[in-house]
């Protein structure tokens, strides 16, 4: 370890911290300046030096300004001091639940000669950091134990290894399951080394000041939006806080860079060679985690189910990646070593808590399991998620076709199955050039036109919901609010709030043109545009009803996310995907209908692909060429590739399928 490099980084961080504190001192001096002037004028008047009408008027004016400045400064200081800083949503791991993990971190802190973190928490993300939770709004720190205090020379040392002001170590939960124990120690070394500079009084005070200003800006913005009476005062306080925050922004950033440089330089003494290999595992774990959430977990969350072993799924996904990708060869051989999750007493309980927190952060699910928000094991995923999703989408597709007036059996040769939903109905509607956009066939022209219904100013009833939503208590149909899911928009720190679903179009309304693949040309198939618009509207209604029926409230006590430290109204914080377009929804529904026909006619089965999510298995083999054929039908109205594929597999589109 280069002591000079550590000292230079720490000195740079301290210099920047002093620059931040000087800005605070200047703001205080500016607030006290009118009071100082008022004191001078008052003392001059009492001693007989500053007398006269002009000086008397000046004394009154300056005294009023001084009182106003003191009151304003006191209010601003109170808001900054009492504002609750933002805290990352995590799952706290008690020492009784992971004694080996705490021992590893303390040994690492002893080797680095820095204070040990006050606690350990897990986050459903591929990152690790130190977080200050000493603010009174975050609760009191955990009590210290006698064996948690040690100095450089054991009990003879003067430096406490665990103090009440030490930050909390936040570890990405996927690291515990994918990394080995040695790799985790190497990755955590530069993070734990950051507790050394963090213990310096100037750096700690500068961080508290910056975090207080940031929290004050957020509080003022929130209060200003809620009350018109407080809006002027909150706007003024927020303006002052933002002004000071901009003034110390550069210094705070350079301070954190100095702290990071000092920590990285200090950590070079611990497993430097192993850390290079571990950094490769960090990137691989991030890729597998992102793929698992977007392809596997997200479909389950949209169905009201949350996989309870997401971290264990990362291992399966990355093992599958190493099997497919030659670039990942050798990574699976590491699985013979001891995984870092063995440092936990009950890995399954921790994984379940982290999985529930991931569903809340990335999807906005409820805080605790319920009838419409239940966990699902990986073994049950194909039957309880994939099969149910496909049949629910297929049922929604046929309900929309019924609303459009599309006949169930336009082909006379299919009269034997006229009463059941078939794939042929979808294919004929999207490809038959004689079918107009509203779904009516030429044969309907010879039938007498029914009399128009009497005019009713009340809105038309919405389409029926799925069976799962129909049973949801407190979920009124026709709810027009925006759904709390990625598929229909959500508030987040990274993405803007998505728009509310469009009003449900009438059956005779002209289809709105869908953007082409490049986003600048309308769709070449008007029937797809009309059908996609209706499906998008119904999906929005169902998601809104599901969000309204979902239970709200804090999670049950025990091992779970720290819900008291963050705001549930902002969920989901990090949506995984932008809202799906109507055409994407139509392609998903047509794919679901094809899969249902394959399962009911040729005995295909639903499956789970760790990298691609729900998949169709025909004779035990994964079907990988279905998506381009469905897109050809949806975008161009060309059903020849899909019909050829159906013939090759022996799938009969004219046979009815079982819907969800």
């Amino acid at each position: 370890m280069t002591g000079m490099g550590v000292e230079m980084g720490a000195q740079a961080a301290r210099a920047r911290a002093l620059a931040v504190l000087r800005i605070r001192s200047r703001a205080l001096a500016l607030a006290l300046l009118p009071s100082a002037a008022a004191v001078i004028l008052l003392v001059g008047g009492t001693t007989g030096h500053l007398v006269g009408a002009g000086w008397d008027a000046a004394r009154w004016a300056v005294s009023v300004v001084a009182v106003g400045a003191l009151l304003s400064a006191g209010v601003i200081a109170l808001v900054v001091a009492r504002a609750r800083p933002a805290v990352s949503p995590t799952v706290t791991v008690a020492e009784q639940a992971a004694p080996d993990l705490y021992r590893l971190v303390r040994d690492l802190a002893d080797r680095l000669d820095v204070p040990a973190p006050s606690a350990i928490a897990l986050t459903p993300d591929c990152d690790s950091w130190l977080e200050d939770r000493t603010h009174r709004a975050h609760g009191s720190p955990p009590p210290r134990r006698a064996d948690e205090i040690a100095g450089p020379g054991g009990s003879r040392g003067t430096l406490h290894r665990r103090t009440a002001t030490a930050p909390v170590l936040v570890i990405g939960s996927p690291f515990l399951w994918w990394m080995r124990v040695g790799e985790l120690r190497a990755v955590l070394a530069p993070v734990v080394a950051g507790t050394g500079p963090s213990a310096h009084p100037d750096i700690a005070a500068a961080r508290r000041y910056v975090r207080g200003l940031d929290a004050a800006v957020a509080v003022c913005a929130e209060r200003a939006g809620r009350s018109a009476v407080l809006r002027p005062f909150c706007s003024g306080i927020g303006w002052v806080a933002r002004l000071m925050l901009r003034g110390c922004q550069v210094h705070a950033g350079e301070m954190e860079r100095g702290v990071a440089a000092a920590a990285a330089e200090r950590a070079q003494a611990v497993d430097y060679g192993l850390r290079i290999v571990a950094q490769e595992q960090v990137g691989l774990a991030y890729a597998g985690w992102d793929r698992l959430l977007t392809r596997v977990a997200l479909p389950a969350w949209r169905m009201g189910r949350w996989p309870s072993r997401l971290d264990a799924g990362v291992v399966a996904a990355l093992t599958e990646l190493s099997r497919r990708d030659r670039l990942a060869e050798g990574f699976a051989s590491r699985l013979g070593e001891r995984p870092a999750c063995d440092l936990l007493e009950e890995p399954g309980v921790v994984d379940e808590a982290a999985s529930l927190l991931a569903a809340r952060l990335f999807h906005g699910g409820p805080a605790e399991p319920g009838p419409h928000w239940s966990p699902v094991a990986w073994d049950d995923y194909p039957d309880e998620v994939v099969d149910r999703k496909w049949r629910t989408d297929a049922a929604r597709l046929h309900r929309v076709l019924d609303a459009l007036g599309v006949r169930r059996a336009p082909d006379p040769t299919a009269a034997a199955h006229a009463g059941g939903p078939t794939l042929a109905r979808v294919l004929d509607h999207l490809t038959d050039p004689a079918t107009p956009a509203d779904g009516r066939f030429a044969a309907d022209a010879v039938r007498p036109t029914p009399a128009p219904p009497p005019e009713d100013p009340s809105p038309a009833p919405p389409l029926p919901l799925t069976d799962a939503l129909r049973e949801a208590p407190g979920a009124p149909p026709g709810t027009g609010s925006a759904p709390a899911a990625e598929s229909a928009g959500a508030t987040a720190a990274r993405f803007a709030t998505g728009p509310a679903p469009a009003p449900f179009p009438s059956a005779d309304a002209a289809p709105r043109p869908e953007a082409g693949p490049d986003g600048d040309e309308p769709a070449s198939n008007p029937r797809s545009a009309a059908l996609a618009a209706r499906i998008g509207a119904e999906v929005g209604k169902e998601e809104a009803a599901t969000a309204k029926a979902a239970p709200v409230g804090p999670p049950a006590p025990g091992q779970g996310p720290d819900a008291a430290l963050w705001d549930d109204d902002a969920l989901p914080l990090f949506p995984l995907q932008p809202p799906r377009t109507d055409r994407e929804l139509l392609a998903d529904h047509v794919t679901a209908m094809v899969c249902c026909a394959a399962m009911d006619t040729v005995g295909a089965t639903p499956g789970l692909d760790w990298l691609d999510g729900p998949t169709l298995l025909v004779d035990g083999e994964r079907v990988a060429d279905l998506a381009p054929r469905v897109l050809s039908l949806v975008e161009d109205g060309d059903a020849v590739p899909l019909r050829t594929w159906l013939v090759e597999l022996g799938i009969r589109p004219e046979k009815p399928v079982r819907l969800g």
Side-chain angles (χ1 to χ4, degrees):
M1 176 176 61
T2 306
M4 183 176 297
V6 175
E7 187 64 23
M8 289 180 60
Q11 289 289 350
R14 292 168 189 169
R16 293 292 183 170
L18 290 176
V20 172
L21 296 179
R22 278 195 296 270
I23 294 176
R24 184 183 65 178
S25 300
R26 291 168 186 168
L28 178 61
L30 184 62
L32 295 177
L33 184 61
S35 300
V39 169
I40 294 175
L41 292 175
L42 291 174
V43 172
T46 57
T47 58
H49 291 81
L50 304 177
V51 294
W55 289 110
D56 292 338
R59 270 189 289 272
W60 279 105
V62 174
S63 299
V64 170
V65 173
V67 172
L70 287 178
L71 290 177
S72 301
V75 171
I76 294 174
L78 184 63
V79 171
V80 173
R82 294 182 61 87
R84 185 179 67 175
V87 175
S88 303
T90 57
V91 175
T92 300
V93 179
E95 186 172 358
Q96 295 79 8
D100 293 339
L101 180 59
Y102 273 81
R103 190 177 303 111
L104 181 145
V105 173
R106 290 200 192 99
D107 293 342
L108 188 59
D110 288 336
R111 294 178 60 182
L112 296 171
D113 194 23
V114 295
S118 60
I120 298 177
L122 299 183
T123 180
D125 197 4
C126 294
D127 199 0
S128 297
W129 65 89
L130 293 172
E131 190 164 273
D132 182 15
R133 296 185 179 179
T134 57
H135 195 274
R136 62 176 65 91
H138 300 155
S140 58
R144 293 183 297 177
R145 297 168 55 99
D147 59 350
E148 295 170 357
I149 301 176
S155 59
R156 299 182 301 272
T158 59
L159 178 63
H160 291 287
R161 276 292 170 260
R162 187 178 182 186
T163 64
T165 58
V168 175
L169 175 62
V170 181
I171 306 174
S173 61
F175 292 164
L176 291 178
W177 269 258
W178 176 244
M179 289 187 175
R180 309 299 100 180
V181 174
E183 295 171 348
L184 180 67
R185 182 174 58 249
V187 169
L188 294 181
V191 182
V192 175
T195 59
S198 300
H200 193 275
D202 294 335
I203 295 178
R207 283 178 168 176
R208 286 194 301 269
Y209 176 61
V210 173
R211 297 184 70 207
L213 290 177
D214 183 70
V217 171
V219 168
C220 292
E222 180 185 5
R223 298 290 175 84
R226 291 183 179 181
S227 174
V229 178
L230 297 177
R231 185 174 295 119
F233 304 98
C234 293
S235 300
I237 297 174
W239 179 82
V240 174
R242 284 191 297 270
L243 182 63
M244 291 188 291
L245 196 59
R246 283 194 298 266
C248 60
Q249 180 179 4
V250 176
H251 298 297
E254 293 298 328
M255 178 187 67
E256 296 300 338
R257 291 187 182 93
V259 171
E265 193 73 24
R266 183 183 294 271
Q268 288 186 2
V270 179
D271 301 330
Y272 180 73
L274 184 59
R275 197 182 327 141
I276 298 177
V277 180
Q279 289 299 328
E280 299 178 356
Q281 305 304 319
V282 171
L284 190 64
Y286 182 85
W289 180 251
D290 179 75
R291 195 72 175 245
L292 184 73
L293 292 181
T294 55
R295 301 296 182 90
V296 179
L298 188 56
W301 293 339
R302 288 170 175 163
M303 298 299 298
R305 308 296 299 273
W306 52 279
S308 59
R309 296 294 185 271
L310 281 180
D311 294 310
V314 172
V315 180
L318 294 178
T319 304
E320 178 67 16
L321 177 63
S322 66
R323 187 184 65 84
R324 296 185 189 179
D325 193 350
R326 291 182 298 175
L327 297 177
E329 288 180 357
F331 288 131
S333 61
R334 306 165 38 262
L335 302 181
E337 305 174 13
R338 185 191 181 193
C341 62
D342 282 355
L343 301 174
L344 305 174
E345 290 293 310
E346 297 181 357
V349 176
V350 177
D351 193 0
E352 183 174 354
S355 301
L356 181 58
L357 178 58
R360 298 202 46 142
L361 293 180
F362 301 119
H363 184 69
E368 56 184 351
H372 304 286
W373 185 247
S374 55
V376 59
W378 292 125
D379 293 338
D380 302 329
Y381 186 94
D383 294 330
E384 298 189 14
V385 175
V386 181
D387 183 84
R388 179 186 165 198
K389 175 184 182 300
W390 286 344
R391 298 195 184 278
T392 301
D393 289 350
R396 185 185 298 112
L397 176 60
H398 280 278
R399 287 200 306 272
V400 172
L401 290 176
D402 292 338
L404 288 173
V406 179
R407 294 168 51 198
R408 285 189 174 268
D411 187 0
T413 61
H417 307 293
T422 62
L423 176 60
R425 182 192 188 194
V426 179
L427 298 177
D428 293 339
H429 174 67
L430 295 178
T431 59
D432 189 0
T435 307
D438 61 357
R440 304 182 185 277
F441 291 87
D444 296 337
V446 298
R447 297 186 178 92
T449 303
E455 295 184 359
D456 188 357
S458 61
L463 290 179
L465 305 179
T466 59
D467 294 340
L469 296 175
R470 191 181 297 114
E471 297 173 0
T479 303
S481 58
E486 289 82 5
S487 56
T491 56
R494 302 177 187 172
F495 300 96
T497 303
F504 196 78
S506 60
D508 298 331
R512 63 178 180 88
E514 276 286 313
D518 298 331
D520 54 355
E521 296 181 0
S524 58
N525 190 351
R527 291 176 293 277
S528 296
L531 187 58
R534 300 294 293 263
I535 290 178
E538 185 175 0
V539 169
K541 286 178 176 290
E542 293 182 4
E543 290 180 346
T546 304
K548 190 173 182 178
V552 254
Q559 183 74 38
D562 305 324
L565 304 182
W566 42 293
D567 188 6
D568 289 352
D569 296 335
L571 295 175
L573 297 180
F574 312 110
L576 297 177
Q577 293 179 348
R580 291 178 293 178
T581 63
D582 292 345
R583 181 181 299 179
E584 292 173 344
L585 288 172
L586 176 59
D588 291 343
H589 284 66
V590 174
T591 301
M593 187 63 201
V594 174
C595 294
C596 290
M599 290 188 294
D600 293 343
T601 58
V602 297
T605 57
L608 168 61
D609 187 277
W610 290 108
L611 299 178
D612 295 328
T615 185
L616 181 67
L617 302 178
V618 178
D619 296 332
E621 297 292 333
R622 173 174 170 266
V623 174
D625 56 348
L626 178 58
R629 303 173 190 272
V630 172
L631 290 178
S632 177
L633 171 66
V634 171
E635 296 181 356
D636 303 327
D638 182 12
V640 174
L642 182 56
R643 290 185 183 273
T644 303
W645 182 82
L646 295 174
V647 172
E648 291 176 354
L649 296 182
I651 301 174
R652 299 179 59 184
E654 73 279 0
K655 293 190 64 176
V657 299
R658 179 174 60 87
L659 302 179

